[in-house]
Amino acid sequence: MLHARMLSYLDEVARCGSIRKAAANLNVASTAINRQIIALEQELGEPLFERMPRRLRLTAAGEVLIEHVRETLKSYDRTRGRLDALKGTKQGHVSIATTLGLAAGPIAKIIHEYTQEHPHVRIVLQGLFADGIPNAVISGDVDLGLGFNLQRNAKLKTLFGLDVPFGAVVAPSHPLAQREKVRLSEAATYPLVLAEQRMSLRALVDLALARVSVTPRPIVETNSIELMKQYVHLGQAVTFLNPLDVAEDRLAGRLRYLPIGETLTQSMTLIARHRGTIDPATSRFVEHLKRSLTQLTESYA
């Protein structure tokens, strides 16, 4: 029969792909974890992990079991949250994966505002490429996933969505800086700093440029939104970002955001597991996130 210690052992080994690493993270002896897993495999009559030269990989039976393990652990956390709520402390735990751009942009301030109101809630945030966010939610690594143009999956549900424009971003000294808006083909005549190919924004930018018969030849490609902004701030280059990415820089006068004459948008969605239930702390965070992002997006309308 699975008990709390075994649940945490299985979950950590599955995440790490190694009994030794899991033991170090949990501060227990690796032999203890190995012994428990072997005993459980004997009881179930099925191997849970495939022993490979450098790592452990879940078998089909292991995949089925780990889904149950993580749902059980989540259920326990939700129950603890409800018990804490009865005591009036509003404690809880929220885990979210989001894109590198959003993690470097408005999310820090949004989380800060939430934790000021709910100081007993712990937030865990992972910055990932967009194509890794759905899997992080499905696997139970995180409760929520926030990103642009996320891949659809029957195991996921959308909690809310927003259409967010993207535009040209330039330094205050740039020749285009005083424009109210700019055409994409004109912005592309300047040196370009673009998101690298794995980022969701790059595919949209390339498609938009193709529509105006421009082949992008960036001088810099990077997965760092911060580097893109800093490089543009230093000279005459142009990059393309959404207004959420540059909200703080715009207010501080470090960068200018120029809407593009052609209406170009990204679809931003917040996702969760389809079969999962949302605990009170996470539900409150979802409402705060939705309200904050909507207000920020509408300010650029």
Side-chain angles (χ1 to χ4, degrees), residues 84-253:
D84 289 333
L86 289 175
K87 294 186 291 185
T89 57
K90 293 187 177 180
Q91 293 183 358
H93 170 275
V94 179
S95 58
I96 179 170
T98 189
T99 61
L100 302 170
L102 288 169
I107 296 300
K109 184 176 181 181
I110 291 172
I111 289 176
H112 175 72
E113 292 169 347
Y114 181 80
T115 55
Q116 289 295 105
E117 294 182 16
H118 307 282
H120 298 288
V121 176
R122 182 167 66 98
I123 308 291
V124 177
L125 184 143
Q126 293 184 35
L128 301 174
F129 286 110
D131 58 4
I133 292 174
N135 285 338
V137 177
I138 291 169
S139 69
D141 286 346
V142 293
D143 301 316
L144 305 170
L146 178 69
F148 295 100
N149 306 304
L150 297 180
Q151 188 174 14
R152 294 182 179 274
N153 190 294
K155 295 181 179 180
L156 298 171
K157 59 184 175 184
T158 298
L159 301 180
F160 73 81
L162 291 170
D163 286 332
V164 181
F166 70 88
V169 175
V170 298
S173 59
H174 194 279
L176 297 175
Q178 302 310 311
R179 299 281 192 88
E180 290 299 319
K181 61 173 57 178
V182 64
R183 295 195 68 80
L184 184 63
S185 57
E186 185 178 8
T189 63
Y190 292 88
L192 296 179
V193 178
L194 298 183
E196 62 102 14
Q197 296 288 343
R198 283 192 62 191
M199 297 182 74
S200 60
L201 177 60
R202 179 58 184 273
L204 290 174
V205 170
D206 284 352
L207 180 61
L209 289 171
R211 288 174 179 167
V212 293
S213 302
V214 173
T215 301
R217 294 183 175 87
I219 57 172
V220 175
E221 293 180 90
T222 177
N223 65 1
S224 170
I225 298 294
E226 193 58 37
L227 188 149
M228 295 165 71
K229 294 190 295 185
Q230 288 188 30
Y231 193 97
V232 166
H233 174 71
L234 293 173
Q236 299 296 298
V238 173
T239 191
F240 300 105
L241 296 169
N242 68 63
L244 302 179
D245 294 328
V246 295
E248 297 301 315
D249 303 273
R250 174 177 169 270
L251 290 174

Side-chain angles (χ1 to χ4, degrees), residues 46-99:
E46 291 277 356
L48 301 175
F49 294 94
E50 182 181 352
R51 273 71 172 175
M52 305 177 73
R54 294 183 179 273
R55 63 187 300 270
L56 297 180
R57 185 171 64 188
L58 287 167
T59 62
E63 292 282 359
V64 171
L65 184 62
I66 205 67
E67 183 177 353
H68 165 72
V69 165
R70 288 173 177 167
E71 282 300 320
T72 301
L73 290 172
K74 292 289 184 185
S75 179
Y76 176 73
D77 285 342
R78 289 192 294 269
T79 301
R80 284 294 303 270
R82 293 190 183 102
L83 292 173
D84 289 333
L86 289 175
K87 294 186 291 185
T89 57
K90 293 187 177 180
Q91 293 183 358
H93 170 275
V94 179
S95 58
I96 179 170
T98 189
T99 61

